Amino acid sequence: MEKIVLELISIGKFYKDGENILWILKNVNLKIYKGTFISIVAPSGSGKSTLLNIMATLDRPSEGKVIIDNEDTSKLDDVRLSKIRATKIGFVFQQFNLIPELTAYENVILPFVFSGNTDEEYAKNLMIRLGLGERLRFYPSQLSGGQKQRVAIARALVNRPKILFADEPTGNLDPDSAKEVLNVFRELNRDGNTIVLVTHDYNIAKTAQKIYTIKNKTLVEVDDI
Ligand SMILES: Nc1ncnc2c1ncn2[C@@H]1O[C@H](COP(=O)(O)OP(=O)(O)OP(=O)(O)O)[C@@H](O)[C@H]1O
Ligand SMILES: [Mg+2]
């Protein structure tokens, strides 16, 4: 039996706008097996980031459950949730979100503060593997877009998360750097990492093994568009 790393059960999300209730997601169900690479491709405003943030426990659903590594996160308080985020989840953003005052290496080991890990050798090897061996002491302003995103990916992986989430990770990159970053995801998946990538671009979504879209506020698998 393949191991399920993350499961969504009947997830719904709404926002209140005065008297009105605005549903963004309804009855979203998903099982993510260890070692798989899935993508979610849908147009702007369809709820991709909302769903990814719920999966990564950055946001809470209005209804339903998010089970991560066999633990029902809906029952957990914020302290326990931040512990799960620090140890089991990696997140990569479109805007890189690097700290400009810290070097590439210092950015990568920043999550150690929250996890209590100290394996600097692992952090360095990760950077070498991502082609950043010569860039450890560079500041974000001294890096290309692709290099910045690879630093962000190394930072997301430094605590050996169970699952890596990426929200439009190539959205700020030129086509060559985008290709390079997608290759990194492919290699990381080949090495056993579980990845969820969100994009509005079908050509990018195709990098994954399994493609989903959001249709009528729910998640459906795309066989072929
Ligand atoms: N805090 C909020 N309050 C009210 N509505 C919100 C809030 N956050 C998001 N929404 C709405 O939820 C919908 C989905 O937003 P979301 O950011 O998930 O879309 P997306 O698919 O990631 O879009 P994009 O491709 O542009 O990033 C949008 O219509 C947005 O206006
Ligand atoms: Mg978004």
Side-chain angles (χ1 to χ4, degrees):
M1 251 313 250
E2 295 271 345
K3 190 180 183 314
I4 296 171
V5 184
L6 184 144
E7 186 169 6
L8 301 178
I9 302 171
S10 306
I11 292 293
K13 179 76 176 176
F14 63 77
Y15 292 107
K16 283 196 180 126
D17 175 23
E19 297 281 281
N20 298 325
I21 286 184
L22 180 67
W23 283 93
I24 309 296
L25 299 168
K26 273 187 177 176
N27 196 28
V28 174
N29 293 285
L30 178 67
K31 288 186 176 83
I32 301 176
Y33 292 91
K34 189 175 186 314
T36 50
F37 183 175
I38 76 161
S39 62
I40 301 169
V41 58
S44 181
S46 56
K48 302 182 298 293
S49 296
T50 304
L51 181 57
L52 204 68
N53 290 342
I54 289 172
M55 283 194 211
T57 75
L58 296 167
D59 192 6
R60 284 188 189 263
S62 309
E63 46 179 51
K65 287 179 183 175
V66 181
I67 317 273
I68 296 175
D69 206 19
N70 292 321
E71 194 166 14
D72 181 357
T73 61
S74 54
K75 298 198 173 83
L76 304 176
D77 62 22
D78 287 344
V79 175
R80 181 76 192 120
L81 267 190
S82 35
K83 184 75 190 168
I84 289 202
R85 273 198 299 275
T87 55
K88 298 193 175 178
I89 284 165
F91 209 111
V92 175
F93 305 88
Q94 178 173 345
Q95 319 286 352
F96 320 129
N97 290 4
L98 299 177
I99 302 199
E101 293 82 10
L102 299 181
T103 64
Y105 179 65
E106 289 165 345
N107 267 284
V108 169
I109 60 167
L110 192 63
F112 283 175
V113 177
F114 310 105
S115 66
N117 284 350
T118 52
D119 196 346
E120 298 207 16
E121 211 46 47
Y122 183 76
K124 270 178 204 150
N125 284 331
L126 198 55
M127 291 186 77
I128 291 166
R129 206 171 115 218
L130 294 180
L132 295 164
E134 312 291 308
R135 295 287 181 276
L136 270 64
R137 291 168 191 279
F138 281 54
Y139 287 88
S141 63
Q142 300 169 314
L143 299 171
S144 73
Q147 288 166 343
K148 278 185 219 173
Q149 195 56 301
R150 280 183 280 139
V151 171
I153 293 169
R155 181 182 56 185
L157 291 173
V158 79
N159 285 326
R160 306 175 207 234
K162 301 276 176 192
I163 186 159
L164 175 64
F165 295 99
D167 192 347
E168 296 280 6
T170 58
N172 272 0
L173 301 177
D174 62 77
D176 284 345
S177 310
K179 235 175 253 167
E180 164 201 299
V181 164
L182 291 176
N183 278 332
V184 167
F185 282 116
R186 229 176 261 134
E187 275 166 32
L188 289 169
N189 175 244
R190 227 174 278 140
D191 294 348
N193 287 283
T194 310
I195 302 173
V196 182
L197 180 149
V198 153
T199 175
H200 62 271
D201 184 339
Y202 185 67
N203 285 318
I204 289 168
K206 281 194 299 194
T207 313
Q209 300 158 338
K210 220 175 194 186
I211 308 175
Y212 292 86
T213 189
I214 297 171
K215 204 172 171 186
N216 302 326
K217 308 188 199 312
T218 199
L219 196 66
V220 289
E221 204 177 328
V222 176
D223 291 316
D224 216 348
I225 287 182

